[in-house]
Amino acid sequence: MPGEVTRTTLRFMTHLPPPAEELRLLDAELWQLDARRAQLLTRRAWLIAALHPTGQQSRAQAATQPPPTAAPRPETTAPSVQNVLLVLGGVLLTLAAAVFTLVSWGHMGIAGRALVLGAVTLATLAAPVALLKRGLLSTAESVAGLGLALTVLDAYALHAAALAGTDGTAYAAAASAVLAAIWTAYGLLPVTAALRLPLPSALAAAQFPLLLWALSAAPGPYAITAALLVTAGLDAVAVVRLPAGAVRVTAVVGAYGMGGWGVLGAGWLSLTADGPGDASRAGALLVLAAAIALGAAWRGPGVQHALGLAITSGLLVVGALGGVARSGVPSEWAVPVHLAVGIALLGAVRAESLPGAIRRGFAWASGAVQALAVLWTLPVVAVVLLGPAGRLGRVWSGAPSDARAAVIVEAPWPPDAVVAPVMLVAVAAVLALAIRAEVWRPRARLGALGLLWATALILPAILEVPYAAGMLALGVMTTAALYACRIPASAAQVTALVLALVTAVSLTLVSLASQSATLVVLSVLTVLFAAASWRSGVAPFTAPAALVYAAALATASGAAAHWPPTRTALLVLVVPAVAALLAARLGASRATVPVEAVGTALGLFAVVLAVTDPPMLALVLALCGVIAAGTALRAERRPVGYAATALFVLAAWVRLAAWDVGTPEAYTLPVTVPALLVGALRRRRDPQASSWTAYGPGLAATLVPSLVAAWADPHWTRPLLLGTAALLVTLLGARHHLRAPLVLGGWVLALVTLHELAPYVVQVTGALPRWAPPALAGLLLLALGATYEQRIRDVRRVREALGRMN
């Protein structure tokens, strides 16, 4: 190979050692690095110790000393302590001043009294000025509060010393007005403007002058109520004018407090007014309260309760105008008058010049008045709906004279019921015409429909129409409601369905007064509800209702024919049969399950009717079994076959009991044979099924009761037949390798044999010596023990073999 090629090739080649050699080299390098790192760390520690010997010692001492205990945390802050001390000091000084004024006042002359109180009061009121200049605001507030309290004591002392002959109430009114003015001036002074206590205190004192003046000048309820309302109005003005703060909060509290008492007083005066004059004055007071509330809701900037104030204003206007009108109309028209004013209030809702909150408040106020009017009519509706239920205890007692007599069986007729239809129609008209919002309009129409239905329901009783005409009206209402169920809208459909069901129940209760009326009404209702179920989305409700009314018709027909309840049960069973056929035709419809449930309940009702007559009860149970068996033919109702079998067995047992049959096999064989057939079918479908599951219940149903009877039977016939049957069962079990027949048959055969051989065993036992039975028992125990020991030895051998395998 040429030399140039060799040098060029070697320049680009890399010489690598074998992997084992390379691994040895890497381990040696790492060991050297670790050793060098340990040397460096040791040197670094020595250098640190040489440079900082004192720090090392201090750290060692700190490690040996216990940790210092934390300083106790203060439970209160300095400002809190300061406020508590200032408040307590002010209270104590106020109490001392009060004791001095009340107790020690009489020991000084008039000049001394005036000098002491004046000097103390002026000094106390002047002290906050100096305190404010030093920045002691909290202390200044406490001293100012003491000064305000001293002015109250000054007023009391002045009345006690110089003006004792004046009227106390009038003097209190004047004093409260003067104090309010003084405190206001004191709080507005530039040097005391930083104090927060004088102005709220002045506004609180201003609540009393008008009230106290009214009490002293004309102690009548109208004047007192007017004073309360005027004070509330002034407070409302203060709320509107004053900025946010403690003064405004005080004004709000005063406005609500005084206004609330004034409204209560004016309302009481309106309710107890004896004539138009008193009613007019009470109405004027209510109008004043309404104006105050409306002004506060309209003009008050920052007022957060505009909607509530507007609602209150609307209700007060209704109370005022309604109270005035009530004094000039008959008593039964008092509620309609208030309703008319409440409806008229809706005119203000259309006024675009009013703020939105006020218009909404008037709308809510009108709605509240209308709701109260509807609630007032509820007793009339309740009597018409629930009153006929009193006829359940005296069915077919005779047709009443009119519709009102048909409903007031036990409940009294409500007074002033004649105006109930007027109010219901008026509210329904408002709901149908005045509500225009897209969200509320459908609901309002449904509400109007319900109110019109209530009107039509109570109108026959109010007008005292003839009994037949009243029932005809209820029938027409039921028909119309069922026809309205065809409306596709869900809410309207539900409403119509509820109205139809309620009206139908009311019609049924009313018809109980007459036999012919009951039969006709039940027939018509059955047809109506069946027709409504034909093509309607409410079939899950109307179809069961039709079945219930059909069963009621069957029961009423049997009673009209003077049949006993046991025979009527056969007529009632027609309805469950129809329900089973109808459910088979409906298939997967939503009405299938409700129809089947009602049919089952009516079948139980038929059984209850026939329970007093065993032969008829057996027939009814058998017919119920036939209906259940027919239902079980449907693929999705196969489990009903078990119920059909149980019904057939019960029917057979009841029939046998009616025949006074005491043989247990007569009761058990009707259970055993179907059970064995079902077990054989199951074993054919599932060969892996246990014989205990397939044949055990059926065999035990006959063998066990027969065995009990055989042991108590002194004759030989039953044991012979039972032993033969047990032998056959045992042989069949052995032939087909079935455990259940083999075990049950063998045990029964053994027990029957023991029963038959028992007398001979007793004789043999008597012939044996006394020691023979204990000896036999001992031998048996020894045999069992030996067998048990053998089993233990076998287990040990298996364990040792397993150990050797490990």
Side-chain angles (χ1 to χ4, degrees):
M1 179 181 293
E4 298 82 46
V5 176
T6 306
R7 286 192 297 270
T8 305
T9 305
L10 292 174
R11 187 171 53 194
F12 295 97
M13 290 180 62
T14 302
H15 297 279
L16 294 176
E21 182 65 18
E22 184 178 3
L23 179 61
R24 186 186 64 78
L25 294 174
L26 289 175
D27 289 338
E29 292 289 338
L30 290 174
W31 181 85
Q32 293 177 2
L33 290 175
D34 291 337
R36 182 59 179 165
R37 185 174 184 275
Q39 294 175 359
L40 294 176
L41 289 176
T42 303
R43 183 62 179 173
R44 180 178 181 276
W46 183 85
L47 291 174
I48 292 175
L51 292 175
H52 304 285
T54 57
Q56 184 88 12
Q57 295 175 1
S58 62
R59 283 194 296 270
Q61 292 176 1
T64 57
Q65 292 178 357
T69 58
R73 187 174 61 89
E75 297 182 357
T76 58
T77 60
S80 300
V81 175
Q82 166 193 307
N83 294 333
V84 171
L85 294 177
L86 291 176
V87 170
L88 286 177
V91 170
L92 292 176
L93 288 175
T94 303
L95 292 176
V99 172
F100 170 78
T101 303
L102 297 175
V103 178
S104 301
W105 182 258
H107 301 290
M108 301 178 66
I110 185 63
R113 301 172 187 174
L115 181 61
V116 170
L117 276 180
V120 172
T121 303
L122 290 177
T124 305
L125 294 176
V129 178
L131 294 174
L132 288 174
K133 291 181 179 180
R134 294 179 176 273
L136 302 176
L137 179 59
S138 299
T139 307
E141 291 283 359
S142 300
V143 176
L146 176 59
L148 299 181
L150 288 176
T151 56
V152 177
L153 294 177
D154 289 341
Y156 168 76
L158 180 61
H159 179 267
L163 302 175
T166 60
D167 182 28
T169 306
Y171 178 80
S176 59
V178 172
L179 289 175
I182 294 174
W183 293 350
T184 303
Y186 182 71
L188 295 177
L189 290 175
V191 293
T192 57
L195 296 175
R196 293 173 294 179
L197 187 60
L199 292 181
S201 301
L203 191 56
Q207 307 298 314
F208 302 101
L210 288 177
L211 177 60
L212 295 175
W213 174 81
L215 288 173
S216 63
Y222 292 94
I224 297 173
T225 304
L228 289 171
L229 292 176
V230 171
T231 304
L234 296 175
D235 289 331
V237 173
V239 172
V240 173
R241 298 296 182 184
L242 293 174
V247 183
R248 188 173 180 180
V249 172
T250 306
V252 169
V253 174
Y256 277 110
M258 292 296 184
W261 283 108
V263 167
L264 290 177
W268 177 256
L269 292 175
S270 179
L271 289 176
T272 59
D274 295 332
D278 294 340
S280 299
R281 286 187 288 175
L285 294 175
L286 289 175
V287 170
L288 175 60
I292 295 171
L294 181 61
W298 194 349
R299 299 296 184 184
V303 177
Q304 303 297 326
H305 308 289
L307 180 61
L309 291 172
I311 295 174
T312 303
S313 177
L315 294 176
L316 290 175
V317 169
V318 172
L321 300 180
V324 173
R326 185 181 66 247
S327 61
V329 297
S331 60
E332 62 268 15
W333 290 96
V335 178
V337 165
H338 286 81
L339 176 61
V341 178
I343 294 175
L345 192 64
L346 290 175
V349 179
R350 304 298 180 187
E352 298 294 337
S353 59
L354 294 176
I358 294 179
R359 286 187 290 163
R360 289 195 302 271
F362 283 169
W364 280 103
S366 177
V369 173
Q370 296 177 56
L372 291 175
V374 172
L375 288 177
W376 185 87
T377 63
L378 285 184
V380 184
V381 179
V383 168
V384 173
L385 279 178
L386 305 178
R391 296 191 179 275
L392 292 174
R394 36 184 173 177
V395 179
W396 298 349
S397 58
S401 58
D402 52 49
R404 182 180 296 183
V407 298
I408 52 173
V409 181
E410 295 179 354
W413 183 249
D416 303 335
V418 67
V419 298
V422 177
M423 293 189 293
L424 292 174
V425 171
V427 178
V430 172
L431 291 176
L433 302 176
I435 307 298
R436 298 182 180 180
E438 294 296 331
V439 177
W440 292 98
R441 188 168 180 78
R443 305 174 188 178
R445 289 183 176 180
L446 292 178
L449 176 63
L451 294 177
L452 292 177
W453 168 82
T455 304
L457 182 69
I458 66 175
L459 200 58
I462 291 176
L463 299 179
E464 296 182 290
V465 301
Y467 175 63
M471 287 196 301
L472 180 61
L474 292 175
V476 172
M477 292 173 59
T478 305
T479 305
L482 288 175
Y483 183 78
C485 291
R486 302 169 64 90
I487 300 175
S490 59
Q493 194 177 72
V494 171
T495 303
L497 175 63
V498 172
L499 296 181
L501 293 174
V502 174
T503 310
V505 172
S506 177
L507 177 59
T508 303
L509 294 176
V510 170
S511 67
L512 294 178
S514 172
Q515 175 179 318
S516 58
T518 302
L519 296 176
V520 171
V521 166
L522 291 177
S523 302
V524 171
L525 291 178
T526 302
V527 173
L528 287 177
F529 279 96
S533 306
W534 188 250
R535 290 182 180 179
S536 175
V538 294
F541 303 95
T542 54
L547 294 176
V548 171
Y549 283 114
L553 176 62
T555 306
S557 300
H562 302 288
W563 287 3
T566 54
R567 292 183 60 186
T568 306
L570 296 177
L571 193 59
V572 173
L573 273 181
V574 177
V575 181
V578 173
L581 296 176
L582 181 60
R585 184 177 179 83
L586 290 174
S589 173
R590 292 189 300 115
T592 303
V593 174
V595 166
E596 291 177 338
V598 172
T600 303
L602 294 177
L604 293 177
F605 176 66
V607 171
V608 171
L609 290 177
V611 74
T612 57
D613 188 357
M616 187 61 67
L617 178 60
L619 178 59
V620 170
L621 289 172
L623 293 176
C624 290
V626 171
I627 297 173
T631 303
L633 294 177
R634 295 157 51 193
E636 67 276 10
R637 294 292 185 266
R638 288 285 189 260
V640 182
Y642 296 106
T645 304
L647 289 171
F648 285 131
V649 170
L650 287 176
W653 285 358
V654 172
R655 184 72 264 182
L656 292 173
W659 286 337
D660 296 330
V661 175
T663 303
E665 289 78 11
Y667 296 91
T668 58
L669 286 177
V671 178
T672 296
V673 174
L676 293 178
L677 291 176
V678 172
L681 292 175
R682 180 169 182 181
R683 287 276 297 181
R684 177 175 296 180
R685 294 180 181 179
D686 184 13
Q688 300 299 325
S690 172
S691 63
W692 288 105
T693 305
Y695 304 116
L699 293 175
T702 294
L703 292 177
V704 174
S706 298
L707 179 62
V708 174
W711 272 65
D713 193 348
H715 304 287
W716 59 272
T717 307
R718 184 187 300 277
L720 177 61
L721 295 176
L722 179 60
T724 303
L727 179 60
L728 292 176
V729 170
T730 304
L731 294 176
L732 288 174
R735 171 67 178 79
H736 296 284
H737 304 283
L738 298 175
R739 183 176 299 177
L742 182 63
V743 173
L744 288 175
W747 274 102
V748 171
L749 180 61
L751 292 175
V752 170
T753 304
L754 178 62
H755 174 266
E756 293 302 311
L757 297 179
Y760 304 101
V761 173
V762 170
Q763 293 178 4
V764 171
T765 303
L768 292 175
R770 295 294 181 92
W771 53 267
L776 294 175
L779 291 175
L780 178 62
L781 293 176
L782 288 176
L784 291 175
T787 305
Y788 185 73
E789 183 181 5
Q790 182 65 33
R791 295 293 181 269
I792 293 176
R793 291 174 59 188
D794 294 341
V795 171
R796 288 177 179 173
R797 291 196 189 99
V798 171
R799 186 174 59 187
E800 292 174 358
L802 292 176
R804 288 194 298 271
M805 291 174 63
N806 289 333

